[in-house]
Amino acid sequence: MPSVRIEVLSGSSAGRVYEPEGDVVRIGRGPKSHLELPESHVSSEHARLVIGDSTVTLEDLRSTNGTAVLRGKTRTQLNDSQRKSELLDGDIVELGGEGSEATRLQITVAEELEPHVVSVRPIAELSGTTDSVERNTDVLKTLYRVQKDIGAAKDLDEVLQAVADAALMLVPSATHATVVLRDEPDTDDSADAEALFVPVLTRVRGPGGQGHTPDEGVPVTRSVFRKVVRERAAVLAADAPSEAFSSESLLGASIRSTIGVPLWKGADILGVLQVDNRDTPSMFDSSDLDALGVLAATASLAVANARLIRRLTLAEEQLQKENTYLKGRERARPGRLEIVGESKAIKTMLGQIDKVVDTRVTVLIEGETGTGKELVASRIHDKSRRADKLFVAQNCAALPENLLESELFGHKKGAFTGATDEKRGLFDVADGGTLFLDEVSEMPLALQAKLLRVLQEGEIRPVGATHTRVVDVRIVAACNRNLEKEVEAGRFREDLYYRLKVFPLRVPPLRERREDVPLLAGFFLERYTREIGKPVQGFAQGTMELLMSYEWPGNVRELENEVQRLVIQADVESFVGPELLSPRVRRVESIVEKAGAEKGTLKQMVEQVEKFFLLEALRDHDGNKTAAAKTLGITREGLHKKLRQLKIG
């Protein structure tokens, strides 16, 4: 097995020598590189060396400026058709250019043969206490003490240090203890699985016998840990006469003997604990191997748990960052609206919201299109105790049934054609927060049954999954249809209807709160003048009168679109005149003229127009008040009330 030495020949790092501790050497400008080169023509992840059984392979990692190998007078450029090249002793590697423009590396490859192995102990024989350990009371006491130290370690770094120090305590003649762990592969085409093992920590015995971290890295004996990994066994390699000894790295490091024991979890090798003697001739024996084997069983579990906790902690931190980012982006979004209004209808609705925010009950928001149902749902979430969690919205009419089910409940990999990855559903994403289901009346009956189960049991089952998962999600639903009629027509489940309508909340249409039109129009005017960058003075009196007289069938959304269009059309620093209004809004102006209304206050002109319409309806139906009321869209009692108010006999 070859050993490798890399010397930097040019650039700011010229003269630097790097001797790999592991079997993978990442080369680049980035901080994750083992051999870090600061030149700008070197990519962040430029290339890597993989040290195999008998070969050393250079691989270009799709660098920006390329990689080449010089062997004598032959120059081999690595490109899309050839990303890898085997390296020989004396080869020159050029990174990021050619000649003087490149960073050049000198590669030295020396042969390293297999070590002289004295004993091999399979994993199956390491899991229990051996006879030699049981007979040695001092070793048992030491094992008990070091296992307590390992168990008290708080994170992976502390666990690894405790394991290495424990090895030095159990083997008094050892001078160095190194932990090699399996790294995660960068690609799926790793040429050598053993190349994924990386030395992560070395402890050296100090003058007082205690372990400490050396100032410089200590190279491991790759031949030993390779044998440990391949044979899934503990290995004892000993000193021997030079004519019989077979490991160049052992001799070069002045090692008299070495022990490598595997760290494992099930069928997977997590790493290797290697113990050496590098200072004085000393022979490890089978009792040392037994003691380290018992330690490895405890250390394996501790390392596996510490790595799992680290992954979970990192995942939790990442999710928290994403949560904070998404919520911050939502609050800072230019299109984010507020509930604007001082009318009695709006104040009544806000009072109802305050009563329900900190309960767990499901809220059903009813209202016409464009009234702001999602805005109301967002306010319920923001004022509740769930405000620090996510608010997630889904329009049930926007997706077909199969996609909507996957979107809401998630799916497992391979659950259906095209399910190439596992997907988290919105119920899972919104766990702890609020899920807003808009247009819930459009949800297919099959999905209504699954939604009912979530409301009843708090459980979800992703598509293709065999187990359920408990979630804590507050449901706020909305629809612009009459759900009672949908139930009568058989298009909506009656049991789900009663589950959703625990606390109904009606959002009033804009025509029922005309006094809020000036406030809303002013709010949108300020927003879009700032967004578009065009200062506008405000609305002319005639413009505001027409805005208040219009029925707004599209409600607040239609008013917002109208104001946005007005800001675009208006001149800078001008007042928005009636001539800029849409024809459908200005139609009120022609009706006023047709009704013969005289100029006056808004109330006086509105009354004159109403009187005109009432008389026209009665005239069209020959005085039949029931028919006239039906044409006007009001009840007979409502018609009588209007006639009295306007003093029409």
Side-chain angles (χ1 to χ4, degrees), residues 167-186:
L168 294 176
M169 292 180 64
L170 286 169
V171 184
S173 58
T175 60
H176 296 69
T178 300
V179 180
V180 181
L181 290 184
R182 189 179 190 278
D183 195 10
E184 295 297 330
D186 292 330

Side-chain angles (χ1 to χ4, degrees), residues 271-341:
V272 175
L273 171 62
Q274 185 169 301
V275 175
D276 305 318
N277 186 301
R278 301 180 183 227
D279 294 338
T280 57
S282 179
M283 179 64 187
F284 297 150
D285 56 27
S286 59
S287 63
D288 296 324
L289 185 64
D290 292 340
L292 291 179
V294 177
L295 172 65
T298 300
S300 297
L301 180 60
V303 170
N305 289 342
R307 297 190 86 174
L308 176 60
I309 291 172
R310 171 175 284 186
R311 286 196 296 271
L312 291 175
T313 301
L314 291 175
E316 184 179 9
E317 290 176 354
Q318 181 64 26
L319 287 174
Q320 185 61 41
K321 289 178 182 177
E322 292 176 0
N323 190 353
T324 302
Y325 168 74
L326 289 172
K327 290 180 73 64
R329 186 180 66 174
E330 175 66 17
R331 292 192 177 100
R333 184 166 58 94
R336 183 177 175 85
L337 299 179
E338 303 172 10
I339 296 180
V340 177

Side-chain angles (χ1 to χ4, degrees), residues 511-528:
R511 63 180 176 275
E512 293 183 8
R513 53 183 189 114
R514 292 180 188 273
E515 59 267 46
D516 289 335
V517 170
L519 292 173
L520 286 164
F523 175 82
F524 292 132
L525 182 71
E526 180 183 354
R527 173 185 166 192
Y528 286 113

Side-chain angles (χ1 to χ4, degrees), residues 547-597:
L547 290 175
M548 292 189 67
S549 300
Y550 182 58
E551 288 292 306
W552 300 109
N555 293 294
V556 179
R557 186 183 296 126
E558 185 183 3
L559 174 60
E560 178 185 1
N561 294 337
E562 180 70 16
V563 174
Q564 184 181 24
R565 194 186 63 80
L566 290 173
V567 173
I568 294 172
Q569 287 188 307
D571 295 329
V572 176
E573 299 293 351
S574 67
F575 284 92
V576 179
E579 70 280 358
L580 298 180
L581 291 168
S582 301
R584 65 180 183 279
V585 180
R586 292 191 63 194
R587 182 171 173 268
V588 178
E589 189 176 34
S590 63
I591 292 173
V592 171
E593 293 175 355
K594 184 178 179 181

Side-chain angles (χ1 to χ4, degrees), residues 402-441:
N402 58 332
L403 293 181
L404 180 59
E405 181 178 13
S406 174
E407 189 71 17
L408 292 177
F409 299 97
H411 64 250
K412 306 296 286 185
K413 183 178 179 180
F416 51 83
T417 303
T420 56
D421 295 298
E422 185 170 330
K423 175 183 173 64
R424 292 178 68 199
L426 294 183
F427 276 103
D428 198 7
V429 172
D431 192 12
T434 303
L435 177 59
F436 173 58
L437 299 177
D438 198 8
E439 305 293 354
V440 71
S441 58

Side-chain angles (χ1 to χ4, degrees), residues 460-489:
I460 61 169
R461 176 177 292 180
V463 180
T466 57
H467 301 286
T468 59
R469 182 179 183 279
V470 176
V471 293
D472 175 22
V473 179
R474 198 221 186 123
I475 302 295
V476 178
C479 65
N480 57 13
R481 292 188 183 184
N482 188 317
L483 275 186
E484 291 185 10
K485 292 183 178 179
E486 293 297 301
V487 171
E488 293 173 0

Side-chain angles (χ1 to χ4, degrees), residues 175-220:
T175 60
H176 296 69
T178 300
V179 180
V180 181
L181 290 184
R182 189 179 190 278
D183 195 10
E184 295 297 330
D186 292 330
T187 60
D188 295 331
D189 59 346
S190 177
D192 187 353
E194 293 164 13
L196 301 175
F197 287 86
V198 178
V200 292
L201 179 138
T202 297
R203 299 285 283 179
V204 178
R205 188 184 301 279
Q210 299 297 317
H212 67 88
T213 302
D215 296 332
E216 297 181 356
V218 179
V220 298

Side-chain angles (χ1 to χ4, degrees), residues 625-626 629-630 634-645:
K625 294 180 181 179
T626 301
K630 187 175 181 181
I634 59 178
T635 63
R636 181 181 173 86
E637 290 75 14
L639 177 60
H640 279 291
K641 183 178 179 181
K642 282 289 183 184
L643 293 175
R644 287 195 301 270
Q645 288 176 348

